[in-house]
Amino acid sequence: MQAVRFHGRGGQGVKTASRILGAAAFLEGFRAQDSPIYGAERRGAPVSAFTRIAKEPIRERGLIAHPNLVVVADASLIQDPAARVLDGIDDCTVLFVNSPLNPDQLRAQTSLPGRLTTLDLTGIALQQFGKRGAISALLGAVAGRLVGLRQESIREAIARELGDLGLAASAIERNQKVALQCYDAVPVMTIEKGAGPALVAAHLHVPTYEPPTRGSARISASANSVLRETGGWRTFRPVLVPDKCNGCWLCFAFCPDGVISMTKDDKPVIDYDHCKGCQICVHECPTEALVAEREKEGGVAWRAK
Ligand code: SF4
Ligand code: SF4
């Protein structure tokens, strides 16, 4: 069985990527199973998705604890302990990271274990689509290539899954074209059969339930959201072009996380430790005084700028 675990941020399309991979495998006659898991349902929050592919019926369910392949859609997740990107990987695991850095450069910044391969999917998407957005088809194609699926299956799976989401035929075609370019471009690593520890039978555990006030103590405690520095969630950061700003306060009003404050002369100041990079302020600014700049790669420098 191939066990593939995707890690990304809300809005990047890892759930759809896992579905594309599962659908492509199914089209080639394999059994396939895919499922996502969300924590906070917020744009930019860490999201995981799982795809299992096998010739035999798949009886294992739930999270993938020991993946053969890990696909990371956003390098900033590597250093986010809550994302648990490196859980259960060993020297046999293939790790794909969406990054403009080559494996040696990335390893120098992050000490990643496993067998590493990279490709700058975000850069390719910006170049080919001309805008930021979901890279689900690209991630699905790269994962398909790494587990050894055929191009035709990936192409058809992209059409099915993006079609189900209501994308126009022209957009689906563009996604297929760029995804297959990524399929060809990703440096391939063979996934070793039998990687990961053998499964052992486990007894079912019956959980006991605590009253909500005890079970949600961290949620009901006041004023602790400042401790979670969501600045590490960003792929793109909003940057002010002061000369274009007319001081209308719209960015302040629309920021869902309340991380924009205004100066006495009506200019926004962004708290980059907590700005999660949703780009709503960029979208809402009437004068294009806020622009999106791509974050430094590796997830290590978001604070430094
Ligand atoms: S929305 Fe744009 S123009 Fe208005 S205050 Fe914010 S940056 Fe300035
Ligand atoms: S400052 Fe802009 S990008 Fe950052 S959280 Fe607020 S709306 Fe989103």
Side-chain angles (χ1 to χ4, degrees), residues 111-133:
S111 322
L112 284 170
R115 299 159 65 224
L116 185 60
T117 180
T118 64
L119 187 64
D120 184 15
L121 301 186
T122 305
I124 292 170
L126 282 170
Q127 198 181 40
Q128 299 290 333
F129 300 139
K131 59 176 184 179
R132 305 176 307 281

Side-chain angles (χ1 to χ4, degrees), residues 8-26:
R9 299 202 171 276
Q12 285 186 311
V14 293
K15 174 192 165 194
T16 305
S18 76
R19 288 191 60 84
I20 289 170
L21 180 64
F26 183 74

Side-chain angles (χ1 to χ4, degrees), residues 240 244-251 262 266 268 285-287 289-290:
L240 179 69
K244 288 189 170 183
C245 174
N246 66 10
C248 68
W249 284 55
L250 275 177
C251 52
M262 301 298 290
D266 297 323
C285 175
T287 62
L290 288 166

Side-chain angles (χ1 to χ4, degrees), residues 238 254-257 259-260 270 274-282:
F254 273 97
C255 175
D257 285 30
V259 300
I260 298 180
I270 298 170
H274 296 93
C275 161
K276 65 185 182 184
C278 67
Q279 306 302 318
I280 289 173
C281 55
V282 174

Side-chain angles (χ1 to χ4, degrees), residues 39-205:
E41 185 99 28
R42 296 164 72 187
R43 192 175 177 84
V47 173
S48 304
F50 312 96
T51 308
R52 293 184 174 90
I53 300 169
K55 287 186 179 147
E56 314 77 29
I58 302 169
R59 307 205 187 283
E60 192 181 314
R61 293 285 188 275
L63 314 184
I64 292 176
H66 299 288
N68 305 95
L69 168 66
V70 173
V71 176
V72 184
D74 192 313
S76 66
L77 288 162
I78 295 166
Q79 299 206 337
D80 182 344
R84 305 178 65 169
V85 170
L86 303 181
D87 274 16
I89 76 171
D90 58 28
D91 290 343
C92 296
T93 312
V94 173
L95 193 63
F96 168 80
V97 182
N98 168 23
S99 169
L101 304 182
N102 68 37
D104 288 340
Q105 292 168 323
L106 192 57
R107 232 189 265 280
Q109 287 196 19
T110 55
S111 322
L112 284 170
R115 299 159 65 224
L116 185 60
T117 180
T118 64
L119 187 64
D120 184 15
L121 301 186
T122 305
I124 292 170
L126 282 170
Q127 198 181 40
Q128 299 290 333
F129 300 139
K131 59 176 184 179
R132 305 176 307 281
I135 49 173
S136 45
L138 283 52
L139 290 166
V142 164
R145 175 73 169 123
L146 292 170
V147 298
L149 298 178
R150 293 196 294 267
Q151 278 208 3
E152 309 81 66
S153 328
I154 302 284
R155 183 197 299 275
E156 175 60 23
I158 291 171
R160 289 185 183 203
E161 296 302 326
L162 297 191
D164 282 353
L165 294 175
L167 257 73
S170 57
I172 293 174
E173 248 175 64
R174 263 203 320 274
N175 271 279
Q176 286 172 314
K177 187 172 156 222
V178 179
L180 293 182
Q181 285 171 6
C182 297
Y183 179 101
D184 286 332
V186 66
V188 175
M189 289 199 159
T190 315
I191 295 177
E192 291 174 21
K193 287 195 171 63
L199 289 175
V200 292
H203 292 292
L204 284 179
H205 176 69

